[in-house]
Amino acid sequence: FSVIAVALLDYFFIEPVFSFQIDSDADASILVALVLTSFAISGLVQRIRTLGEAQREQARLLDLTHDAILVRGLDHVISYWNRGAETAYGWTREEAIGKVSHEVLKTVCSEGLSIGRVMDTVLSTGRWEGELDRTRKDGSKIIVASRWSLEKNLKGQPVGVLEISTD
């Protein structure tokens, strides 16, 4: 595809137009640069596709567990909600993603701690474990054993929380 694209660029835009003849070294260097750029872009697109497929496969595997798994930012907005969370809490993935987790689930810490204190523990130690009282979509109550782990970016800065909860 890249070679054909460069050949068409040569044919339609490099003097003499409508010819594959290359008259100057400058035109040849431009075509070589276009070929290299085209191959680089094609390689990057393929890499992005491969990474996307790997991410979808990992998400599919997380859907196999019966545990409720959710990922949220430091602002508590849900960015991932697995099938186990759908089963445990009643909200579909589409209904939960983009919402504040503690507002949707009406979370209360069974140990009398506030969610703010739990987050302080997660930020200082990287994790927290305990029981949470939550409300399902249908209004019924559920108590879950929950484990929170801090997610950090490549610079080591906190960016979110992975939560795994079991009824």
Side-chain angles (χ1 to χ4, degrees):
F1 178 75
S2 297
V3 171
I4 291 170
V6 169
L8 290 173
L9 284 171
D10 174 36
Y11 185 78
F12 288 111
F13 297 106
I14 293 180
E15 295 289 336
V17 176
F18 306 119
S19 166
F20 288 111
Q21 181 180 346
I22 300 173
D23 288 335
S24 72
D25 291 340
D27 290 342
S29 63
I30 289 171
L31 287 176
V32 168
L34 286 171
V35 167
L36 294 176
T37 303
S38 180
F39 282 136
I41 290 171
S42 296
L44 289 173
V45 167
Q46 181 59 37
R47 175 95 170 123
I48 289 169
R49 282 187 184 151
T50 302
L51 290 173
E53 289 169 10
Q55 190 175 33
R56 281 188 293 280
E57 178 64 18
Q58 290 170 350
R60 188 188 66 75
L61 289 172
L62 289 176
D63 273 339
L64 295 177
T65 185
H66 297 290
D67 293 335
I69 300 175
L70 61 105
V71 177
R72 62 182 179 288
L74 296 178
D75 58 359
H76 303 288
V77 173
I78 300 166
S79 60
Y80 178 78
W81 184 268
N82 79 333
R83 189 167 291 136
E86 288 181 345
T87 302
Y89 302 125
W91 281 276
T92 66
R93 180 174 288 138
E94 293 76 20
E95 292 172 317
I97 290 178
K99 305 283 189 322
V100 175
S101 61
H102 307 305
E103 291 175 5
V104 170
L105 298 169
K106 298 180 180 77
T107 303
V108 176
C109 187
S110 299
E111 299 158 4
L113 296 174
S114 69
I115 294 303
R117 297 265 304 203
V118 171
M119 274 305 294
D120 289 343
T121 301
V122 171
L123 290 170
S124 65
T125 66
R127 57 187 349 101
W128 175 84
E129 292 184 28
E131 286 190 352
L132 300 173
D133 296 335
R134 292 200 157 148
T135 304
R136 293 183 171 117
K137 184 178 180 181
D138 66 7
S140 62
K141 302 292 182 186
I142 182 173
I143 298 174
V144 295
S146 192
R147 296 166 308 283
W148 297 11
S149 297
L150 187 64
E151 177 188 6
K152 296 182 178 181
N153 63 16
L154 294 175
K155 295 178 183 177
Q157 299 166 324
V159 293
V161 175
L162 167 70
E163 177 187 318
I164 301 172
S165 298
T166 305
D167 183 0

